[in-house]
Amino acid sequence: MKYKDEYAVKVEGLRKCYGPHPVLKGLDFQIRRGEIFGLIGINGAGKTTALECMEGFRRYDGGRICVNGRIGVQLQSASLPAYMKAMEAVRLFAAWKQTKPDPSVLSALEISRLQKKNYGELSTGQKQRLHLALALTGDPEILILDEPAAGLDVEGRTALHGLIRSMRDRGKTILLTSHDMAEVEELCDRIAVLHRGMLVFTGTARELTEKAGGRYQIRIATEEGEASCTADNISETLLALLTEYKQQNRTVLDIQISRGSLEQHLLRIARGG
């Protein structure tokens, strides 16, 4: 079924059990057209099962999934025949989808450097790049990425993040999972936190911080050293500290204020905090 509205994907009451054990307990969320949406949670939360249901690889027991557009999928655990060359795989996928390889995608992912190598000779990062190129074959409107940067070096991650943003800017909808919360915070327009088969939060990373961030952490560096404290009211506490430092003729070199990382918030939710 297709929805003629702003949403590329709608998930309503999604349920899945393995025998008597419920894994997904009635998920409800929507992914807007042209956004990067992150599905996050600790191991065992149900992320992989949810993705497999949305990709059509696994039957679900209740609810419905409505997708409005062609899907491209990059699986973390995908594999190809060991003696297949990278460009052979690209041409095979293009022929299957009745299209031609996109030179701009192959260039951005540096697939030309891999064309003479067998799949079994590729590193983990090189396989990730090839899998992403295959997922982008046929110019899908919706892209599902499972740990897309796993195994990539810093340069590869930077290039991949740039490619993901450019796809979003071209109107593509991207659903990704990642254990790297810095990556999630950098890339995702919105996130959904999955915990024990239930969605416990949907919104922006900033909104999650407001909900789960707790007290402010303040660190002030001076020539004499560093001092840190926590506060509920950042403005009053910081003003009092700076006033005290001024009275003591202490030069402030740096101030850092945070409410914890996305990873800390995720762990707090998982522990019921």
Side-chain angles (χ1 to χ4, degrees):
M1 180 182 296
K2 291 189 176 182
Y3 279 61
K4 295 181 180 179
D5 58 20
E6 64 177 307
Y7 294 106
V9 178
K10 279 192 175 184
V11 176
E12 300 174 339
L14 181 61
R15 293 183 290 105
K16 174 64 183 176
C17 296
Y18 294 130
H21 305 293
V23 178
L24 302 178
K25 306 173 184 177
L27 305 189
D28 290 284
F29 63 92
Q30 300 84 36
I31 304 176
R32 300 176 186 131
R33 293 181 184 274
E35 77 170 339
I36 302 174
F37 188 89
L39 184 63
I40 64 174
I42 63 173
N43 289 336
K47 301 188 302 298
T48 298
T49 298
L51 286 185
E52 289 175 345
C53 290
M54 285 185 277
E55 293 159 351
F57 295 149
R58 189 174 296 279
R59 291 185 177 181
Y60 46 95
D61 299 317
R64 63 177 180 171
I65 301 170
C66 305
V67 177
N68 192 7
R70 298 186 307 278
I71 291 181
V73 178
Q74 180 251 317
L75 299 173
Q76 184 182 8
S77 58
S79 183
L80 293 169
Y83 292 101
M84 176 176 280
K85 302 241 186 280
M87 283 306 301
E88 288 177 343
V90 170
R91 286 191 289 268
L92 177 63
F93 271 63
W96 175 49
K97 294 189 177 183
Q98 298 182 334
T99 186
K100 294 182 179 180
D102 186 337
S104 64
V105 171
L106 300 182
S107 175
L109 294 172
E110 299 182 339
I111 301 300
S112 61
R113 296 186 181 182
L114 313 178
Q115 59 182 335
K116 295 183 179 180
K117 286 189 175 183
N118 292 328
Y119 182 78
E121 300 173 335
L122 302 181
S123 68
T124 300
Q126 290 171 334
K127 289 178 180 178
Q128 287 291 88
R129 298 207 309 269
L130 177 58
H131 296 162
L132 182 55
L134 299 180
L136 288 168
T137 302
D139 196 27
E141 294 140 332
I142 302 166
L143 195 61
I144 299 179
L145 307 178
D146 189 2
E147 299 285 345
L152 296 181
D153 57 20
V154 174
E155 185 177 1
R157 288 167 61 89
T158 300
L160 174 64
H161 290 179
L163 179 61
I164 291 174
R165 291 193 191 92
S166 70
M167 290 188 293
R168 188 264 315 274
D169 294 341
R170 286 162 48 197
K172 296 189 183 299
T173 303
I174 300 163
L175 167 62
L176 67 82
T177 67
S178 176
H179 284 96
D180 185 343
M181 293 300 101
E183 178 177 64
V184 170
E185 194 164 10
E186 179 182 350
L187 287 176
C188 294
D189 301 304
R190 290 191 304 138
I191 58 176
V193 180
L194 190 58
H195 180 53
R196 294 181 179 175
M198 297 183 291
L199 283 180
V200 295
F201 173 83
T202 305
T204 65
R206 175 174 292 185
E207 289 168 343
L208 179 59
T209 297
E210 291 296 323
K211 177 180 180 180
R215 308 183 75 192
Y216 290 95
Q217 309 294 318
I218 305 173
R219 186 188 70 83
I220 300 180
T222 67
E223 294 176 346
E224 291 81 10
E226 296 184 1
S228 60
C229 67
T230 60
D232 294 313
N233 188 310
I234 185 65
S235 57
E236 292 182 1
T237 302
L238 189 57
L239 179 60
L241 287 172
L242 293 178
T243 300
E244 179 182 350
Y245 279 31
K246 183 176 181 180
Q247 292 172 347
Q248 297 172 354
N249 292 321
R250 298 172 65 184
T251 301
V252 174
L253 302 177
D254 185 44
I255 299 175
Q256 293 184 3
I257 302 171
S258 73
R259 297 184 74 181
S261 66
L262 190 59
E263 182 176 11
Q264 290 171 330
H265 304 332
L266 180 62
L267 290 175
R268 186 177 293 116
I269 289 173
R271 292 166 182 164

